């Protein structure tokens, strides 16, 4: 789907505030209400807009420990990868999972309350994921940037 300047501006505004009213959104992007609403609905139907969420402050929820984990699997056949990826979906503390190039197979991001909680998670769940051969953990010391906004070009 080709996005024009109005579509891109709608996406930029919605990324900053998904609770903006359609009236405010249409005014901010320079369209009348109905065409703006149609564009939003079209981008939802096309899967460009996946959903709307509420962002939470992890520190205020006592979830201040972020851990990045590289995982190497024993096997790389289709079933092994599928089994691992399915099992990852069941662990709430894993908030991101990416396949990676190079020596490691996956990069996980885990958010927990404490190092002790991470150790427990590691011993009871992470090392027991299907076909895990090696796990390497790195603790984030400070979050310098965190955004959910994609870099949509104005063109």
């Amino acid at each position: 789907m080709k996005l024009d300047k109005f579509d891109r501006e709608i996406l930029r505004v919605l990324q900053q505030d998904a609770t903006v009213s359609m009236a405010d959104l249409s005014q901010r992007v320079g369209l009348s209400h109905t065409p703006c609403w149609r564009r939003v609905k079209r981008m939802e139907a096309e899967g460009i807009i996946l959903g709307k969420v509420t962002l939470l402050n992890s520190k205020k929820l006592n979830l201040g420990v972020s851990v990045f984990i590289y995982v190497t699997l024993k096997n790389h056949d289709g079933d092994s990868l599928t089994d691992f990826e399915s099992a990852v979906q069941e662990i709430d503390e894993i908030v991101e999972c990416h396949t990676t190039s190079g020596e490691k197979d996956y990069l996980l991001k885990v958010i927990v309350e404490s190092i002790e909680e991470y150790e427990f998670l590691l011993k009871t769940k992470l090392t027991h994921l299907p076909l895990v051969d090696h796990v390497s953990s790195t603790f984030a010391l400070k979050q310098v940037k965190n955004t959910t906004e994609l870099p949509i070009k104005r063109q």
Side-chain angles (χ1 to χ4, degrees):
M1 177 178 160
K2 182 113 170 98
L3 301 177
D4 66 16
K5 70 176 188 171
F6 292 109
D7 295 327
R8 291 177 184 284
E9 190 59 28
I10 288 168
L11 294 173
R12 274 193 291 280
V13 171
L14 288 176
Q15 281 191 118
Q16 293 171 358
D17 182 6
T19 65
V20 66
S21 70
M22 193 56 63
D24 287 342
L25 178 61
S26 60
Q27 184 178 24
R28 287 173 65 178
V29 301
L31 289 170
S32 60
H33 185 278
T34 302
C36 187
W37 178 83
R38 283 189 186 128
R39 286 169 180 266
V40 170
K41 291 301 172 192
R42 185 186 80 232
M43 289 188 283
E44 288 173 346
E46 292 285 331
I48 293 170
I49 297 173
L50 298 175
K52 298 172 185 171
V53 300
T54 299
L55 300 176
L56 305 175
N57 184 327
S58 60
K59 288 184 181 178
K60 292 198 179 218
L61 294 168
N62 198 29
L63 293 167
V65 177
S66 296
V67 188
F68 296 93
I69 306 149
Y70 277 109
V71 177
T72 306
L73 299 183
K74 295 175 187 172
N75 298 325
H76 297 92
D77 60 78
D79 288 341
S80 298
L81 300 176
T82 301
D83 292 347
F84 177 84
E85 292 171 11
S86 294
V88 162
Q89 302 299 325
E90 303 302 317
I91 301 174
D92 293 337
E93 294 87 353
I94 299 174
V95 296
E96 292 182 33
C97 176
H98 304 268
T99 58
T100 59
S101 62
E103 295 178 18
K104 310 298 182 190
D105 298 314
Y106 290 92
L107 174 64
L108 309 178
K109 180 179 179 184
V110 167
I111 297 180
V112 291
E113 289 183 11
S114 65
I115 293 172
E116 292 79 16
E117 183 180 349
Y118 174 69
E119 181 183 19
F120 181 77
L121 179 72
L122 178 67
K123 289 178 178 177
T124 61
K125 293 182 182 178
L126 298 179
T127 56
H128 297 288
L129 286 167
L131 298 165
V132 168
D133 184 42
H134 185 262
V135 174
S136 175
S137 306
T138 301
F139 290 86
L141 299 177
K142 175 182 168 185
Q143 186 176 74
V144 176
K145 181 178 181 179
N146 181 26
T147 183
T148 60
E149 293 181 35
L150 298 177
I152 299 170
K153 297 185 177 176
R154 296 197 187 282
Q155 287 188 340

